[in-house]
């Protein structure tokens, strides 16, 4: 079993995904009461969102040393946590690029250059009807449902 000090782990993450890229109002980085210099980490639970302990949901947070989240938690987690949010969305090779790659989209530009968010690209096998693209998104991301605003089945992407 490999153990690493949290401070070293955070340093490695921040070399690739700098905290300075995050929006000023965004909560990113280490959230915990214990010093990152003293925290030993060998089991990490990664989640999109923190799910507070509640009846009917069984997540054994005590089995982990650190929780890595994409979205900042609304309620303080039971264990030390590290959040990578807008800085992960923005960074080259981060969430936006990973999503485009997963959906076989060749990226040509950035949607919002000022915020550095979103990607503009071309579908590898496009154009395809919107219903077909929605089906691909559901399958690739293992989603039960997706919501499309102003859905028009005659739209092709």
């Amino acid at each position: 079993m490999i153990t690493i000090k949290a401070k070293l782990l955070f340093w490695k993450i921040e070399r690739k995904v700098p905290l300075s890229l995050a929006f000023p109002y965004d909560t990113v980085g280490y959230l915990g009461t214990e010093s990152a210099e003293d925290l030993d980490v060998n089991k990490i639970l990664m989640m999109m969102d923190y799910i507070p302990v509640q009846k009917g949901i069984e997540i054994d947070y005590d089995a982990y040393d650190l929780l890595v989240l994409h979205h900042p938690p609304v309620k303080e987690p039971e264990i030390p946590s590290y959040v990578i949010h807008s800085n992960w969305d923005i960074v080259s090779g981060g969430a936006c690029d990973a999503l485009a790659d997963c959906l076989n989209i060749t990226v040509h530009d950035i949607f919002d250059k000022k915020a550095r968010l979103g990607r503009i690209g071309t579908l590898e096998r496009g154009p395809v009807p919107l219903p077909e693209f929605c089906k691909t998104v559901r399958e690739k991301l293992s989603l039960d449902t997706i919501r499309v605003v102003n859905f028009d089945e005659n739209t092709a992407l």
Side-chain angles (χ1 to χ4, degrees):
M1 189 176 314
I2 298 173
T3 299
I4 186 171
K5 289 291 183 187
K7 182 178 179 177
L8 177 59
L9 176 63
F10 301 158
W11 177 79
K12 288 179 180 234
I13 292 171
E14 291 163 16
R15 281 184 49 209
K16 302 273 185 193
V17 188
L19 296 176
S20 62
L21 291 179
F23 294 150
Y25 55 83
D26 201 9
T27 302
V28 295
Y30 178 57
L31 308 173
T33 55
E34 188 175 342
S35 164
E37 291 181 7
D38 298 331
L39 179 62
D40 290 323
V41 176
N42 72 27
K43 285 189 81 179
I44 299 171
L45 176 60
M46 298 180 76
M47 301 175 76
M48 181 68 76
D49 296 292
Y50 168 66
I51 301 170
V53 172
Q54 53 190 297
K55 196 173 191 174
I57 297 178
E58 296 182 30
I59 299 173
D60 184 11
Y61 289 111
D62 291 332
Y64 301 92
D65 305 307
L66 181 70
L67 181 60
V68 175
L69 301 165
H70 180 60
H71 294 124
V74 176
K75 182 180 177 191
E76 186 176 331
E78 290 84 24
I79 64 172
S81 303
Y82 190 87
V83 178
I84 307 171
H85 189 223
S86 58
N87 51 332
W88 178 239
D89 291 336
I90 290 169
V91 72
S92 179
C96 289
D97 293 321
L99 181 58
D101 186 53
C102 175
L103 297 174
N104 297 317
I105 296 172
T106 301
V107 174
H108 304 293
D109 206 354
I110 296 175
F111 180 72
D112 183 336
K113 288 182 174 45
K114 185 175 179 183
R116 298 168 290 177
L117 281 177
R119 300 298 183 263
I120 298 171
T122 306
L123 289 170
E124 187 177 279
R125 295 177 305 132
V128 297
L130 183 56
E132 184 181 327
F133 180 69
C134 291
K135 181 178 182 231
T136 299
V137 170
R138 286 183 50 221
E139 289 171 356
K140 294 266 187 169
L141 301 179
S142 301
L143 302 173
D144 293 328
T145 60
I146 62 171
R147 181 177 170 209
V148 178
V149 177
N150 298 326
F151 181 83
D152 180 351
E153 65 183 44
N154 296 315
T155 300
L157 301 173

